[in-house]
Amino acid sequence: AYGGCPLGQVYASMTNVIQLEAGEYKLTRELQPNSSLSISGAAPADYTKANVLTNTFPAMTAMKTSISGQGRSRIFNTTNLNKPALNLTNVVLKDGYSADAGGALYLGSTSILTNVQILNSKAKVGGAIFLNDIDTGLTFNRGIIQGNDAVEGSVLSMTCNDNLVYTNRDINITGISILGNGSNESLSTMAFCGQPTAVFGANTITNNTANAQTGRIFQFSSTTPEKSINLSASASLNLLSNT
């Protein structure tokens, strides 16, 4: 229950479906679902006009629905309770904050993001997204990741070892504009460890910033100037048709 809305299904196996209207939803504390959750914002479409590229209806518009942490709260935390799956569509997540991990999203299970924007979120690690615990997969199709910052992984970071072994996880990021993240104090934009299988396809990755002496945009190595990283020799990173 939150902000006057009634409590949904409480069983981990059940999926709560929420259709948000257009507008900005402001949080004063993070959302911690305890069952699988699917949230869709208002469709960014205008059915009175044709798409200028395809000449078919509807025309695409700017995003209409946003959820804001107001610079003081993380937006979603699925690491507690039943570690539910999270599915977000047509939503802007902005101004998230954590003094620890995951400025916007602190994920403990499989998550699917479709046409989602993550903007201006901050944390110590994982400015936009932090993947925690075993079986934490991420599929991110279409969207924008912009203006996020962290000491490690301004866009993405993760745990390295869970249950005393390298953490396996699948990460698929496709059709995303990843731009303007990080700062001169940041050590990395994407910080990988454990045993991920990561695929980046048809993304635009530009104007991101890391420390000029010790930073890097993709941290995918077991050694860095600062410390050793627990990255398995079986980890893989595929970059396909990116700019």
Side-chain angles (χ1 to χ4, degrees):
Y2 193 95
C5 295
L7 183 68
Q9 298 287 345
V10 298
Y11 301 104
S13 59
M14 302 296 290
T15 298
N16 287 288
V17 179
I18 299 174
Q19 175 66 61
L20 295 177
E21 296 182 356
E24 181 176 296
Y25 297 79
K26 297 180 179 180
L27 304 181
T28 57
R29 58 182 171 86
E30 66 182 27
L31 300 171
Q32 296 186 16
N34 63 0
S35 61
S36 296
L37 184 62
S38 177
I39 294 181
S40 296
D46 183 349
Y47 285 88
T48 68
K49 298 179 181 178
N51 188 302
V52 295
L53 297 178
T54 64
N55 201 35
T56 59
F57 290 85
M60 302 306 295
T61 69
M63 298 283 276
K64 298 179 179 179
T65 303
S66 64
I67 304 174
S68 173
Q70 303 190 82
R72 56 180 176 170
S73 170
R74 185 190 286 132
I75 297 175
F76 283 101
N77 180 351
T78 62
T79 67
N80 299 319
L81 303 172
N82 299 315
K83 297 182 180 178
L86 180 66
N87 190 330
L88 301 177
T89 305
N90 296 334
V91 176
V92 178
L93 308 177
K94 66 179 185 178
D95 300 326
Y97 172 77
S98 171
D100 186 17
L105 297 174
Y106 189 36
L107 302 176
S109 186
T110 299
S111 298
I112 300 174
L113 312 181
T114 305
N115 198 28
V116 169
Q117 298 180 11
I118 305 178
L119 310 177
N120 304 322
S121 293
K122 295 183 178 181
K124 183 177 180 181
V125 294
I129 303 170
F130 188 87
L131 305 178
N132 185 75
D133 214 335
I134 60 173
D135 300 324
T136 308
L138 175 65
T139 299
F140 197 159
N141 296 313
R142 294 185 292 118
I144 298 173
I145 306 176
Q146 183 175 12
N148 304 283
D149 192 20
V151 176
E152 296 184 16
S154 293
V155 167
L156 176 66
S157 189
M158 61 199 69
T159 54
C160 307
N161 302 87
D162 295 286
N163 296 343
L164 303 179
V165 296
Y166 287 124
T167 305
N168 283 287
R169 54 173 54 95
D170 292 324
I171 301 168
N172 291 277
I173 297 178
T174 306
I176 308 297
S177 293
I178 302 171
L179 65 157
N181 300 284
S183 66
N184 291 328
E185 288 71 45
S186 179
L187 296 176
S188 54
T189 302
M190 265 76 73
F192 293 92
C193 66
Q195 190 173 315
T197 299
V199 179
F200 283 69
N203 303 291
T204 298
I205 305 170
T206 185
N207 288 344
N208 300 287
T209 304
N211 184 274
Q213 282 72 46
T214 59
R216 69 289 301 175
I217 302 304
F218 279 86
Q219 166 56 48
F220 198 83
S221 172
S222 59
T223 59
T224 74
E226 305 82 34
K227 60 183 178 180
S228 297
I229 304 294
N230 291 322
L231 182 69
S232 170
S234 299
S236 67
L237 172 63
N238 292 316
L239 302 175
L240 307 172
S241 302
N242 299 283
T243 299

